[in-house]
Amino acid sequence: MNITASRALARRQAWKRARRHWQLYLFLLLPVAYLILFSYVPMVGAQIAFRDYSPVRGIWGSAWAGLKYFEKFIDSYQFERVLTNTLRVSLYSILAGFPVPLALAVMLNCVRSVRWKKVSQNILYLPHFISTVVMVGIINQFLDKNTGAVNLLIEALGGEPVNFLAKRELFYHVYQWTGVWQGIGYASIIYISALSSVPAELHEAAI
């Protein structure tokens, strides 16, 4: 049997399986449509970066610009600063955001009281569902130089209030650790589920 005949036979068999199990493919229709609609269709708009975009002409009517704006950005005096800050924030995010949820998952997994574990998990998950706007408002309230809880605590301990939101050197720390606080509970879910599936005998052997 030649290659063409083999491919034709494989296509016929695939169509037979599809007709036999059409209900399963029907179930797949909705998630596939969701994926295409919200993941692939928006990518059409990414070509704005390669065009002299005009709202009047639209995406398809705007003239093609190629790498014009990329070259302009790379040649700008701010490129080095932007690239450095992006890499710094990304590396800081990895170093701060990876081990903390893992440590939290290990600690929660060691909690014996089921009720206390559930209460702790619910409290830790709540910040993830707070919108960014509300989160920024909470951070402003906590870190305010005059009335913020953090500075009030610093003053109570005999220190001087710190303007956390106005010091450039503190930006990275405030940005990253508030992000860790917001996402630590949700990020630990997958680790908790993995640890909960480990047999108790294996834990005892490790101890």
Side-chain angles (χ1 to χ4, degrees):
M1 183 181 295
N2 57 32
I3 298 176
T4 304
S6 299
R7 290 177 177 175
L9 179 61
R11 284 195 295 269
R12 286 196 298 271
Q13 291 176 346
W15 277 111
K16 287 181 180 179
R17 288 194 299 269
R19 286 195 298 269
R20 188 181 305 116
H21 305 291
W22 64 270
Q23 298 93 337
L24 298 178
Y25 291 96
L26 187 62
F27 275 117
L28 284 175
L29 183 61
L30 186 59
V32 169
Y34 177 87
L35 183 66
I36 293 173
L37 184 61
F38 292 101
S39 298
Y40 289 96
V41 172
M43 291 300 294
V44 175
Q47 63 178 301
I48 292 178
F50 302 94
R51 292 178 179 272
D52 285 322
Y53 178 70
S54 170
V56 177
R57 297 178 180 176
I59 296 177
W60 301 105
S62 301
W64 185 260
L67 298 177
K68 170 185 173 181
Y69 294 105
F70 291 90
E71 294 172 353
K72 184 178 180 180
F73 171 64
I74 293 173
D75 293 336
S76 68
Y77 71 95
Q78 292 184 340
F79 172 73
E80 184 177 351
R81 178 189 298 179
V82 171
L83 180 63
T84 302
N85 288 337
T86 301
L87 293 176
R88 186 174 178 180
V89 169
S90 299
L91 290 175
Y92 198 162
S93 177
I94 294 172
L95 294 175
F98 171 71
V100 177
L102 181 58
L104 175 64
V106 173
M107 289 189 291
L108 288 175
N109 190 62
C110 294
V111 176
R112 299 302 180 188
S113 173
V114 177
R115 183 177 181 181
W116 174 247
K117 182 185 292 187
K118 290 182 177 180
V119 171
S120 301
Q121 287 177 326
N122 288 331
I123 294 174
L124 291 168
Y125 295 163
L126 284 177
H128 174 76
F129 300 100
I130 300 176
S131 69
T132 304
V133 176
V134 176
M135 178 62 66
V136 172
I138 294 174
I139 294 169
N140 284 331
Q141 293 292 329
F142 269 93
L143 300 181
D144 187 87
K145 184 178 180 180
N146 300 315
T147 60
V150 176
N151 276 311
L152 291 177
L153 179 62
I154 292 175
E155 289 181 336
L157 296 175
E160 293 292 330
V162 180
N163 195 350
F164 291 95
L165 302 178
K167 290 184 177 294
R168 184 176 62 181
E169 61 273 15
L170 296 178
F171 165 77
Y172 297 101
H173 307 294
V174 173
Y175 176 79
Q176 292 297 343
W177 289 108
T178 52
V180 170
W181 169 60
Q182 185 179 16
I184 182 174
Y186 189 81
S188 65
I189 291 177
I190 187 171
Y191 301 120
I192 294 174
S193 62
L195 289 170
S196 62
S197 63
V198 177
E201 295 81 6
L202 192 59
H203 276 287
E204 294 175 1
I207 294 173

